[in-house]
Amino acid sequence: MIDALSSQRKIVGSAESAIDTHVTVCDINAEMLQEGRRRAKNDRPAVVDGISLQWVQGDAENLPFPDGSVDAVTIAFGLRNVSRTWKALSEINRILTKGGRFLCMEFSQVKDPLLRQAYDAYSFNVIPAMGGFLAGDPQPYQYLVESIRQFHDQETLADLMRDAGMKHVTYKNILGGVVAIHSGFRL
């Protein structure tokens, strides 16, 4: 399994899920990989010590893995940071085994006009202000809000996945589309 662009997330599981499980964490940024290693070492419960972890620096648009070598690829809140989404999706499809699955959780587009208005007001006013207060710099949080709005909507991302060769592409909106989980298979 490849968990791409994910070096800051916690890796958790159970003893049952650790049997014969290999997870490769892949990120283009060496500092993010180092932070991921630190968090995995400090935060990982002992019950998942059986999981084999590998840390690989790599570009999502040119993944350093052989064709058809990975059963699953996950990306959470990172695909919008890839310059060429279709190229990354094509690479993911290339490395998946037949029957392999891609799952992507990403901020998305709110369709309901009333919810979108409230979400926009919160996003553009509250998030950067909170970031400025808590982190001392509102700019990264302003970038976050803007990058979310510029990213593909749910249908466009699903179409890009299909264009990259994935089949049985679906998505599920969470919180009215604030977040969407996309799924696709290589068949």
Side-chain angles (χ1 to χ4, degrees), residues 36-174:
R37 281 188 199 98
R38 185 192 67 74
R39 288 183 183 203
K41 181 179 178 184
N42 293 337
D43 297 343
R44 199 172 76 199
V47 70
V48 294
D49 282 341
I51 292 178
S52 168
L53 284 175
Q54 178 183 14
W55 303 86
V56 174
Q57 187 172 358
D59 183 347
E61 295 177 16
N62 188 24
L63 291 167
F65 307 104
D67 294 0
S69 63
V70 177
D71 293 324
V73 176
T74 64
I75 298 178
F77 305 111
L79 191 59
R80 76 181 182 289
N81 295 320
V82 174
S83 298
R84 296 178 299 171
T85 307
W86 180 84
K87 177 66 174 148
L89 293 171
S90 295
E91 278 293 285
I92 290 165
N93 193 57
R94 177 187 66 77
I95 67 170
L96 284 172
T97 59
K98 298 269 185 196
R101 187 176 194 182
F102 170 62
L103 288 165
C104 175
M105 181 167 52
E106 186 60 81
F107 291 111
S108 200
Q109 305 299 317
V110 176
K111 299 298 182 188
D112 179 84
L114 290 175
L115 181 57
R116 183 174 55 240
Q117 185 178 13
Y119 179 56
D120 284 349
Y122 172 79
S123 297
F124 286 103
N125 297 303
V126 176
I127 292 175
M130 284 178 56
F133 177 73
L134 297 173
D137 184 4
Q139 192 57 39
Y141 300 91
Q142 185 67 36
Y143 165 78
L144 170 67
V145 172
E146 292 169 3
S147 73
I148 292 168
R149 295 313 185 282
Q150 294 171 4
F151 193 64
H152 312 291
D153 67 16
Q154 294 87 322
E155 283 299 325
T156 302
L157 181 55
D159 287 342
L160 287 169
M161 291 170 63
R162 289 182 196 97
D163 291 346
M166 294 181 200
K167 307 295 182 197
H168 300 294
V169 174
T170 61
Y171 67 87
K172 178 177 175 67
N173 284 327
I174 309 294

